[in-house]
């Protein structure tokens, strides 16, 4: 080969912009890994926490006529939204099933258009 010697390529020298880009990519990778570890940890902690059981009576006997359309509960009481014809009311019962309060729901009046 004509006596010419091929030289090994010189070491690649990193430019300041490339060095900064490499550092940003590594920082983003570490941040994402830490975030993923935190999320997995929170999910594990959340599912290991004891779940509070929801207790409702086997059957709810409504005080009046009508159909139950929704149920919610609080500390020591539960409420049933009752639809009776066109009228609605909320009946609040104690945990023993005794009617504590009945609240009629009045239909809202739509504001007049200008």
């Amino acid at each position: 080969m004509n006596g010419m010697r091929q030289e090994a390529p010189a070491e690649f020298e990193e430019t300041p912009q490339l060095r900064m880009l490499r550092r940003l990519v590594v920082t983003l990778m570490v941040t994402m890994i830490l975030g993923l570890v935190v999320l997995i940890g929170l999910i594990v902690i959340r599912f290991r926490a004891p779940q509070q059981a929801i207790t409702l009576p086997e059957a709810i006997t409504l005080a009046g006529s009508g159909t139950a359309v929704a149920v919610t509960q609080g500390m020591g009481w539960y409420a049933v939204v009752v639809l009776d014809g066109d009228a609605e009311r909320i009946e609040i019962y104690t945990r023993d099933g005794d009617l504590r309060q009945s609240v009629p729901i009045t239909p809202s009046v739509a504001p007049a258009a200008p």
Side-chain angles (χ1 to χ4, degrees):
M1 298 192 97
N2 297 346
M4 293 182 69
R5 232 175 116 194
Q6 289 184 349
E7 292 185 28
E11 284 289 320
F12 178 74
E13 194 171 318
E14 224 176 43
T15 63
Q17 293 88 358
L18 190 57
R19 189 177 312 119
M20 182 175 171
L21 181 62
R22 182 176 49 84
R23 288 180 181 159
L24 285 173
V25 169
V26 169
T27 303
L28 178 62
M29 179 185 66
V30 169
T31 303
M32 289 178 68
I33 290 171
L34 288 175
L36 191 62
V37 168
V38 167
L39 283 175
I40 291 171
L42 288 174
I43 290 171
V44 167
I45 289 170
R46 176 70 176 134
F47 283 124
R48 281 191 172 179
Q51 299 295 322
Q52 185 178 16
I54 297 174
T55 55
L56 283 175
E58 286 290 323
I60 298 172
T61 305
L62 299 177
S65 63
T67 305
V69 293
V71 176
T72 189
Q73 70 174 348
M75 298 296 285
W77 58 270
Y78 59 91
V80 180
V81 178
V82 178
L83 179 62
D84 191 6
D86 289 338
E88 288 182 307
R89 67 183 178 278
I90 300 173
E91 294 180 352
I92 302 171
Y93 295 89
T94 63
R95 287 285 176 194
D96 300 329
D98 299 327
L99 180 65
R100 178 196 255 178
Q101 184 178 4
S102 182
V103 181
I105 301 173
T106 57
S108 62
V109 178

